[in-house]
Amino acid sequence: VDGCGLCKFFFFFKQKTAYEMLRSLVGSEMCIRDSLYTNYNEHDNAINIMIEHSPTAWSHEQFVNIIQKVSNLDLYYKAMLFYLEEQPQLINELLKGLTNKIDFSKTVSVMRKTGYLPIITPWLKSVQTQNNASTNEAINQIYLENEDYESLRESVTAYENFDQLALAQQTERHKIVEFRRISAFLYRKHQKYQKSIALSKQDNMFRDAIETAQESQDTEIVEDILRFFVQQKDKEFFTV
């Protein structure tokens, strides 16, 4: 090759984008990972190629490392759907790596639309200390659907940032009494004392009713529950 031809070759080589090179080198896993991701700094394109050619181009550790460097934030959510479809056992690890970058509300919304929100329960638990409304409501809903009243009670007691009245309404007619107790507890927290007491009396949870009446510091409510116990001729609770 003469000097002129060699110059043209190098000029052409330098003008090729990393994305074009990625496509031309799909099938050579070593080249994709070592040369293109590192040397050409094309993180967005690298992620797209790994998704589109996952059988040969995808590596979990490499993927999680690169996606934290992308400029197009929509790729975070595209990656979630990719993992859900092809690597569901690793989706919580992906989310853990993206915790400081993703929008929690959007993450919950994306996963809820797939119908597989419960698959990210481990991640939801890991971030609940941040007391985000969307993640709190998501995990509370999972506990409700699983009829796990113990975990739900712990959650609503420790993390208050969620629509408490909506959950109270959801649980007040639940077939399991412990969920109805959670409903009474939530109404009590919102100073809806009469509603809370009515639920407690309905389920014969009289100590709950008494505690709610005492917390209200409302003379009329206290006298009303005293009259109730007199009518019931229940001396034990009348003397509490």
Side-chain angles (χ1 to χ4, degrees):
V1 180
D2 59 25
C4 183
L6 188 60
C7 289
K8 289 181 179 179
F9 170 80
F10 279 111
F11 176 80
F12 174 75
F13 181 82
K14 289 179 68 176
Q15 295 304 308
K16 286 180 70 66
T17 66
Y19 183 68
E20 291 172 318
M21 293 182 68
L22 273 169
R23 289 198 173 278
S24 69
L25 291 173
V26 166
S28 176
E29 185 176 3
M30 187 63 69
C31 288
I32 291 174
R33 292 181 186 171
D34 296 342
S35 298
L36 300 172
Y37 298 161
T38 305
N39 298 336
Y40 295 94
N41 204 32
E42 288 281 348
H43 302 111
D44 291 30
N45 290 332
I47 287 296
N48 280 317
I49 289 298
M50 291 181 85
I51 290 175
E52 294 169 9
H53 302 277
S54 57
T56 55
W58 174 82
S59 161
H60 175 62
E61 291 184 4
Q62 192 82 54
F63 191 98
V64 172
N65 178 54
I66 294 171
I67 198 166
Q68 297 185 54
K69 303 172 185 177
V70 300
S71 57
N72 181 0
L73 304 187
D74 287 339
L75 286 175
Y76 296 151
Y77 310 101
K78 181 178 181 179
M80 292 176 201
L81 298 177
F82 164 66
Y83 266 66
L84 181 63
E85 182 176 351
E86 296 200 14
Q87 304 292 337
Q89 75 281 6
L90 294 174
I91 192 169
N92 286 284
E93 290 187 23
L94 172 70
L95 291 173
K96 182 179 179 180
L98 293 175
T99 294
N100 294 328
K101 296 182 176 295
I102 55 179
D103 179 273
F104 287 4
S105 298
K106 185 170 182 177
T107 298
V108 169
S109 176
V110 167
M111 293 304 299
R112 196 187 298 278
K113 288 177 182 178
T114 69
Y116 293 100
L117 182 63
I119 200 172
I120 64 168
T121 299
W123 177 77
L124 291 171
K125 289 181 179 180
S126 74
V127 299
Q128 199 172 14
T129 54
Q130 298 192 34
N131 201 24
N132 175 272
S134 295
T135 54
N136 286 343
E137 290 178 357
I139 200 165
N140 289 343
Q141 191 64 38
I142 290 169
Y143 290 147
L144 179 58
E145 291 174 358
N146 291 340
E147 298 188 343
D148 184 354
Y149 57 81
E150 291 180 348
S151 294
L152 180 59
R153 181 69 180 240
E154 291 176 3
S155 176
V156 301
T157 301
Y159 306 106
E160 300 181 345
N161 187 16
F162 64 97
D163 190 338
Q164 297 186 17
L165 289 179
L167 183 59
Q169 292 168 357
Q170 275 188 287
T171 52
E172 67 176 286
R173 293 184 179 84
H174 200 282
K175 63 182 180 180
I176 298 175
V177 66
E178 289 299 328
F179 283 103
R180 299 197 296 273
R181 289 188 72 192
I182 290 172
S183 177
F185 170 72
L186 293 173
Y187 281 125
R188 173 179 167 181
K189 288 181 67 175
H190 275 265
Q191 300 183 354
K192 294 184 177 298
Y193 298 118
Q194 292 180 330
K195 178 70 172 178
S196 177
I197 290 171
L199 285 171
S200 297
K201 291 195 304 186
Q202 170 186 298
D203 288 321
N204 297 327
M205 293 295 171
F206 299 133
R207 290 193 181 278
D208 290 354
I210 291 170
E211 290 174 2
T212 302
Q214 291 174 334
E215 183 179 307
S216 74
Q217 297 184 334
D218 185 310
T219 302
E220 184 178 342
I221 291 177
V222 172
E223 290 179 350
D224 182 68
I225 199 167
L226 287 174
R227 283 193 295 269
F228 170 78
F229 287 123
V230 169
Q231 294 169 0
Q232 296 293 312
K233 297 181 180 180
D234 196 323
K235 294 182 180 179
E236 176 188 356
F237 290 103
F238 182 70
T239 57
V240 171

